[in-house]
Structure formats: C-alpha cells, structure tokens
C-alpha cells in the first residue's frame, strides 16, 4: 500500500524537504502554469510514494488534508498518515489538532483511503527515495486540490472525492463532540442560523504593540462588509438567528459590530459566543450560513461541513472556490468595487489600516444580487 505522510513543519526551524522536480522529469505529462492542465493519471503511474510537509496552522492543515484526499482519489495511494510525533514538531499545529482529535484517530473513507492521525514518534521516516519524495506547499510543483479542480476531471472521480470529504467531515464532527464539554450533539438543528466569524490576535498583535510581525496577506474585512451581509441575510434570505463568534476581542470591528447587531430589534435573534478552538470547530461544522473573516480557517471547515448551504467572503475564498463549488456549497463573494481597501500583501495592522476597517463605506462594496432564498 502506498502512503502519504503529512509531517508538520517546525515553527522556528525551516525543514528543507527533498523534492524531485517532476516538471522537468515529465515535461510531456505536466504543464504547470496559472491555468494548469494536468494528466494526473499518467503522472501517478510514475509516482510511488509521496511525502507531504504541513505548513501553517489548522486552516492550512485541513487544506493540505483535502489535497491528500484528492490525490488518493486520482492515484494508487490509499493511505494518509498525519504524524505529529517524532523529529522536529510544529508545536502550534500539535496544539491545534491535539485539542480537537483524540489520538490515535483513524478512519477509512468510502473510496477505501485510510487516514491515521498519530502523535507517536517514528523510529525512522518512511523509506521515500529522493526521486519520489514530494511536497505540497510553497514552491511545490504538484497541484493542490484547489488547483486540480480546474482539470476536466471525471464526474465519477469528483463524486468519489465529495463522498470522502462529506464522510470525513461527519467523523471529524463526531470526534469533536466526544471531546467537548459544551456540546453533546450538533448545536444547530434549524436551517436559519448564520455564524459571523471575526479573526483576532494573530493578525492584529502588531497594532497592540506585540513584537511578532503579522502576516501581510491577511487584511481583515471592514465593518461595512459584516453589517451589509448580515442585513441581507436577515431581510432577503429570512435568517432569524445571527451568532457572532470572535476568535478573541482584538478585532477592532467587534464592538461596533456587536452594537449594530443588538440594534436589529425584532428582525433576528442575535447571540455572542466566545468559545475555545474545539467548540469553534463544532460550530463551524454545524451552521447553515457562514460569514467568513479572511484566512483559510473558516472556508476549510466549511468545505468539510455536511450542513453548510452558503458561505460569504470578502474579495476571495482563500483558494477554496473550486472545492466549495465541488461540494455544491453556494459561495457569495463581496467585492471591493472601489478598489480602495488595504491590498492583500500589504497588511501590517497599522493605525491607518485599522481606521480604514472601521470607516470603509458600504457604498464602496459590491454585494451582488445573489441573495434569493
């Protein structure tokens, strides 16, 4: 049996993963560009083992797991090992996953692919040859699942992938519920619940005089985005319950947004929930509408959800557009029609950027017309 092993990369120490340049070896098979056209079935005949390095934290980790599951639906590999033990460990990733899943956690997907989450130290790495080692992530040549969906893939293969993801999402939710001291069952039984997620500390810490830099690629949406979306969900889609779920209280839009929600009167029931990571994941996997902050965390669990009907995002879906589409989850994109908001790649949580978050006019946004029930 061929195996994909996912090993988290160290936070402080960069690991160089041997990665054979498949493009040079199989130029007749693979064309790698912004609009890729791959013949993965031919490529996988050549590949025997695949090593995956995990980058980032939980949202990115789920994205890479989706990549691995998709790969297993396109090739001969039928086992994924998510190994958090041994060698140099990404302690942040271990903390994220360890607070959610019991170890060891294993399952077999409908396609026959086996997944194992383990924190046991390996005596030695899997016997990958340098010419066969492969890495998903920055600088990788192999397309991620989010890219691979641009391929004219067979309906049967996409159906198999969707069944795998839906099945795994349900198992993931069940495992989370077993660990939770808050929820015994999925918390939302009705179909008219919208959850608003606010990202917090990690993208605002510089503004609060923390020394550690923030990621420049994550400018958070303005207050007007959240207010405009909630208004349309309530008045045009008939949503009767709005839940505001901040990661913490460091997002500057939190206070004015909460005040705005409370002022909605009898239009909708509004609630404020501040919970830990485990219960946050349960809520994300249980609601029917998601209003996303910027990042991979919300759309990654949206992709795993069996209940989600629609997800709303500002400017883009963090590369999850095609996966969400394949899952038949409706995507509602709010555009910056004035093109005057903080550009992606320039975010540093400066005072000027924070002021823009709070003052950016609703008239500068294009909410589209995709709000029918």
């Amino acid at each position: 049996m061929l195996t994909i092993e996912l090993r988290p990369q160290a936070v402080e120490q960069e690991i160089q993963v041997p990665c054979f340049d498949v493009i040079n070896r199989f130029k007749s098979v693979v064309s790698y560009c912004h609009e890729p056209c791959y013949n993965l079935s031919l490529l996988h005949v050549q590949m025997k083992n695949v090593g995956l390095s995990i980058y980032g934290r939980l949202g990115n980790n789920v994205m890479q797991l989706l990549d691995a599951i998709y790969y297993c639906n396109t090739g001969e590999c039928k086992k994924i090992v998510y190994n958090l033990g041994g060698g140099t460990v990404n302690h942040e990733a271990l903390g994220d996953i360890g607070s959610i899943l019991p170890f060891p956690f294993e399952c077999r997907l409908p396609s026959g692919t086996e997944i194992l989450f383990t924190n046991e130290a390996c005596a030695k790495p899997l016997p990958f040859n340098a010419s066969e080692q492969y890495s998903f992530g920055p600088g990788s040549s192999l397309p991620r699942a989010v890219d691979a969906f641009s391929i004219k893939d067979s309906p049967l293969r996409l159906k198999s992938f969707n069944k795998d993801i839906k099945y795994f999402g349900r198992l993931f939710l069940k495992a989370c519920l077993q660990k939770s001291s808050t929820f015994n069952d999925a918390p939302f039984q009705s179909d008219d619940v919208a959850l608003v997620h606010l990202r917090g500390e990690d993208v605002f810490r510089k503004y609060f005089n923390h020394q550690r830099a923030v990621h420049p690629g994550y400018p958070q949406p303005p207050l007007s985005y959240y207010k405009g979306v909630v208004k349309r969900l309530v008045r045009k889609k008939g949503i009767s319950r709005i839940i505001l779920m901040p990661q913490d209280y460091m997002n500057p839009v939190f206070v004015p947004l909460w005040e705005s929600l409370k002022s909605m009167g009898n239009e909708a029931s509004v609630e404020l929930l501040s919970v830990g990571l485990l219960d946050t994941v349960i809520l994300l996997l249980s609601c029917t509408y998601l209003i996303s902050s910027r990042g991979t965390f919300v759309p990654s669990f949206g992709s795993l959800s069996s209940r989600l009907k629609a997800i709303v995002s500002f400017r883009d879906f963090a590369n999850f557009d095609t996966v969400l589409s394949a899952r038949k989850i409706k995507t509602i994109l709010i555009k910056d029609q004035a093109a005057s908001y903080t550009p992606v790649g320039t975010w540093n949580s400066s005072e000027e950027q924070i002021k823009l978050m709070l003052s950016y006019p609703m008239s500068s946004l294009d909410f589209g017309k995709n709000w029918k029930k």
Side-chain angles (χ1 to χ4, degrees), residues 5-9 15 17 51-55 64 133-137:
E5 183 175 22
L6 294 88
R7 283 176 163 271
Q9 196 181 41
I15 299 174
V17 180
L52 299 180
S53 291
I54 293 299
Y55 295 85
Q64 291 140 8
Q133 183 95 349
Y134 219 95
S135 171
F136 282 118

Side-chain angles (χ1 to χ4, degrees), residues 111-266:
S111 67
T113 298
E114 297 177 28
I115 301 180
L116 170 65
F117 287 79
T118 177
N119 59 355
E120 296 181 4
C122 293
K124 60 181 180 179
L126 293 177
F128 294 137
N129 296 324
S131 63
E132 296 168 347
Q133 183 95 349
Y134 219 95
S135 171
F136 282 118
S140 169
S141 308
L142 194 65
R144 298 184 313 209
V146 290
D147 299 321
F149 276 101
S150 62
I151 304 169
K152 299 294 185 182
D153 213 334
S154 70
L156 184 62
R157 185 174 293 164
L158 289 179
K159 184 177 181 180
S160 174
F161 174 76
N162 289 333
K163 285 180 65 176
D164 277 358
I165 298 303
K166 186 175 182 179
Y167 181 83
F168 178 75
R170 287 176 173 172
L171 286 181
F172 202 98
L173 175 58
K174 183 178 179 180
C176 290
L177 288 168
Q178 288 174 347
K179 288 196 70 173
S180 175
S181 59
T182 307
F183 302 109
N184 295 319
D185 199 357
F188 308 128
Q189 301 303 321
S190 64
D191 290 337
D192 59 350
V193 180
L195 192 150
V196 184
H197 182 265
L198 294 182
R199 189 165 179 173
E201 183 268 339
D202 67 313
V203 289
F204 293 105
R205 51 190 164 212
K206 189 175 181 182
Y207 178 71
F208 290 94
N209 298 317
H210 286 225
Q211 297 299 313
R212 192 171 171 184
V214 298
H215 196 300
Y218 294 118
Q220 293 305 294
L223 174 63
S224 54
Y225 155 78
Y226 293 104
K227 292 173 67 174
V229 169
V230 169
K231 177 181 176 181
R232 285 164 175 79
L233 285 177
V234 171
R235 296 179 181 175
K236 296 189 177 185
K237 282 193 173 290
I239 298 301
S240 62
R241 186 179 177 191
I242 303 293
I243 296 175
L244 179 60
M245 187 176 68
Q247 177 183 338
D248 48 46
Y249 299 109
M250 293 179 71
N251 190 313
V253 311
F254 166 68
V255 172
L257 178 58
W258 178 235
E259 293 300 321
S260 174
L261 293 179
K262 289 192 297 182
S263 70
M264 295 185 70
N266 296 326

